[in-house]
Structure formats: structure tokens, C-alpha cells
Amino acid sequence: MLLERRDLQSLAYMLALPALVVWQWMHGIWLPLYALMLFLTLGTGVIHHNHTHRRMWRSKRLNRLTDLWLTLLQGHPTYVFYPAHIANHHRYRHGPLDVARTYRFNGDTNSLWGYLIHPLQAVTVLYPVFLRWLLAQRRRGSGAWRYALWQYAAVLMLWALTAAIDLQNWLLLVLLPQLHGLHWLLATNYLQHAHADGHSSINHARNFEGWVNPLLFNIGLHTAHHAHPKAHWSKLTTLHRHYRERVDPRLNAGGLLPYMFRTFLLAAFVPRLRSRSLMSPASGAPRAPVHASENP
């Protein structure tokens, strides 16, 4: 029933995360398992994203069940990817009309503070997008409105039930891991786009290589993903080879953790390591929207 066998890895993450929660709920928190659980919350965010772009199953019912399962794991409804990610980020690609563009809030920065604060800033502009979308669906009488409310209800019921059973375990094993995953889901936008050129059709995203890709479903190969948003994540490795030589070399950043250490920590003491913006102040005119299925 799976469209792609490589999504067995996705299913393994989706089963391992709640299994670790249940085991630690029953036997107590063990730091190595807790660290693994936090890592799996990152994977859940990427799977959530990937399932939005390309459905995992041949069956509509299984895809709906996967939406619900990911909603419960993430602690946030699946529907939000459609108005905020597909209709906004993939349409405007970090350009001046992208509501959560990294240079909207503190200027065109790429710093530790910018990375840490970006998720909170993004939420302030994304939630109005969610609400407008929901109200539009309600006015149309669309079933999407009811589907989104069911997703919110599922999260609230999970929280209420687990908090009633054990408030401390709910905080440590449910809410905190979900917030950790949501932080990374939103902060990834900063990692992938800060100091990239929001006015360029090719240099609008940063790419990461190394272990982040096999562990997190090729999330680092972002230029290829923007160019081919409907391609399955397993195909991005091949597609990346085509785009790697076309983007500005500074956007091929190597490994994710070395990049973060170099850019957010070492650069404070070594000026030559500081990130430089690729965006020209003179190129401020909004770019025409690009539909999610369109290649640059």
C-alpha cells in the first residue's frame, strides 16, 4: 500500500517515537532514550512535511489516518502545511511576499539570536494565515474546515487524557518533546534561508550534506526540493547533484552541525567566518509568485 518503499523508514520513526514515550512513562525517564525521543521529534516534523507534499499511501483512508497520527505526534494539525507552506513558502520561495521570510523581523541576519527567536516570530505571522484559511474554508462550506477542527480536537483530547493521568509525565514526555519538534520545524526555515537571496530563482535556499540527510529524509537538500516539491524525498539525492553546481557555492554549507557551530558560535570570535547576505538591497521588488508545482 505504500507508494514508496523508502517510507518504511518514516513508519519506523512514527512507531518508535510513541513507543519510547510509553516505555519511559511506565519505567521512568532514561536520558539516552529521552535524547533519542527528542531526535525522533525532528524526524516527525520532516515526515509531516513530506506527507503533505507527497502522500504516503495509495489509500485515501490510510492517508487520512496518517494525517491524524502525525497530528498527535507533532502536537499540531496537519492542515497548517497547506496555507503556510504550500500556498505561501513554496509559492514565494523566501521572497518579499513570503510571510515568514527570515529578513522580515530583524533585518537580513544570520545569527544565533535570529535562529533562536525566529520560531516565535514566525508563529505571530503564521497563525493569522491559518485563521484566514480556516474562515475561508468555513464560508465555502468545505469539509476541510471540519477536518481541521477534528485535528485540533484530537490534540486537545490527547493532552487532556495524558495530563489527567500524570501531569509531570505529560509535561516531560508529551508537551516538551512536541514543542522541541515544533521549534526545529520552524527554525529549519532560518537555517535553510537566512542570508540566501529571496529575490533569486535559484539562490533562495541553503543546502546541507552529510548525515542529516539519511537520518532526516534528505531535509538538507533544499534547492532540489523547492525545484521539485512533488518529488519523493528519496529522489532528492539525485536531483541535488544537478542543482549543487548551479547555486552560489556559499549556499552549499556542508554538514548541518558544523555549519551551526561555525556560523552561530565561532563567527562571534572569528570575523572571517561570519555569514554574508547574498541579497542586494537594490533588488527589493517582489518577485512574481511561483506555483508549488513549477520548476525555476
Side-chain angles (χ1 to χ4, degrees):
M1 298 292 285
L2 277 175
L3 288 168
E4 298 281 349
R5 287 191 63 188
R6 289 289 300 276
D7 275 323
L8 289 171
Q9 180 182 350
S10 304
L11 295 180
Y13 281 38
M14 292 166 64
L15 294 173
L17 176 56
L20 289 174
V21 172
V22 170
W23 193 93
Q24 292 179 100
W25 191 292
M26 296 173 63
H27 300 285
I29 291 175
W30 186 40
L31 287 181
L33 288 185
Y34 196 82
L36 177 58
M37 184 182 68
L38 291 181
F39 168 77
L40 290 174
T41 65
L42 275 65
T44 297
V46 181
I47 296 165
H48 215 163
H49 162 269
N50 292 343
H51 185 61
T52 303
H53 278 286
R54 185 182 174 93
R55 310 299 271 169
M56 201 177 296
W57 304 95
R58 300 181 190 279
S59 162
K60 182 177 180 180
R61 180 173 295 181
L62 286 176
N63 283 323
R64 288 292 183 91
L65 289 173
T66 300
D67 285 345
L68 181 59
W69 189 244
L70 288 168
T71 291
L72 293 173
L73 292 178
Q74 185 91 77
H76 208 286
T78 293
Y79 87 86
V80 301
F81 283 94
Y82 293 97
H85 188 70
I86 302 293
N88 168 62
H89 183 61
H90 271 269
R91 187 180 186 189
Y92 299 118
R93 296 188 303 180
H94 192 52
L97 298 180
D98 186 339
V99 297
R101 60 196 182 274
T102 63
Y103 50 93
R104 174 175 185 170
F105 306 103
N106 302 310
D108 190 13
T109 65
N110 189 12
S111 64
L112 179 60
W113 172 246
Y115 161 75
L116 293 174
I117 199 65
H118 180 74
L120 297 177
Q121 293 172 324
V123 164
T124 65
V125 295
L126 288 175
Y127 252 90
V129 173
F130 304 157
L131 294 174
R132 286 195 298 270
W133 186 88
L134 286 172
L135 292 174
Q137 301 307 311
R138 186 182 183 187
R139 286 194 297 269
R140 295 191 191 108
S142 169
W145 156 257
R146 293 186 296 276
Y147 190 47
L149 292 187
W150 273 112
Q151 292 172 8
Y152 276 118
V155 172
L156 292 175
M157 286 189 288
L158 173 68
W159 286 353
L161 178 62
T162 50
I165 295 171
D166 189 318
L167 183 60
Q168 179 174 301
N169 274 342
W170 171 70
L171 287 169
L172 294 176
L173 292 171
V174 178
L175 185 62
L176 184 59
Q178 287 176 339
L179 291 175
H180 176 262
L182 287 169
H183 165 82
W184 277 91
L185 183 66
L186 293 168
T188 297
N189 183 62
Y190 194 88
L191 295 170
Q192 291 169 331
H193 293 285
H195 272 177
D197 188 352
H199 306 284
S200 169
S201 63
I202 187 72
N203 290 322
H204 51 77
R206 181 174 288 105
N207 298 296
F208 299 101
E209 296 171 329
W211 280 102
V212 68
N213 292 310
L215 290 175
L216 291 175
F217 311 97
N218 286 333
I219 191 62
L221 310 181
H222 206 52
T223 303
H225 170 62
H226 267 281
H228 303 274
K230 293 186 181 299
H232 189 262
W233 61 267
S234 63
K235 306 297 192 292
L236 294 180
T237 305
T238 301
L239 292 169
H240 173 65
R241 298 190 190 106
H242 172 69
Y243 291 96
R244 194 181 193 282
E245 304 305 320
R246 296 176 56 191
V247 301
D248 188 296
R250 289 169 290 182
L251 293 175
N252 293 319
L256 174 62
L257 293 181
Y259 165 82
M260 294 179 70
F261 180 70
R262 181 174 67 246
T263 304
F264 297 152
L265 297 177
L266 279 185
F269 308 99
V270 185
R272 66 181 178 82
L273 296 179
R274 289 173 189 166
S275 177
R276 302 288 187 269
S277 176
L278 298 184
M279 211 153 42
S280 166
S283 59
R287 189 176 62 229
V290 176
H291 295 292
S293 61
E294 187 177 322
N295 294 340

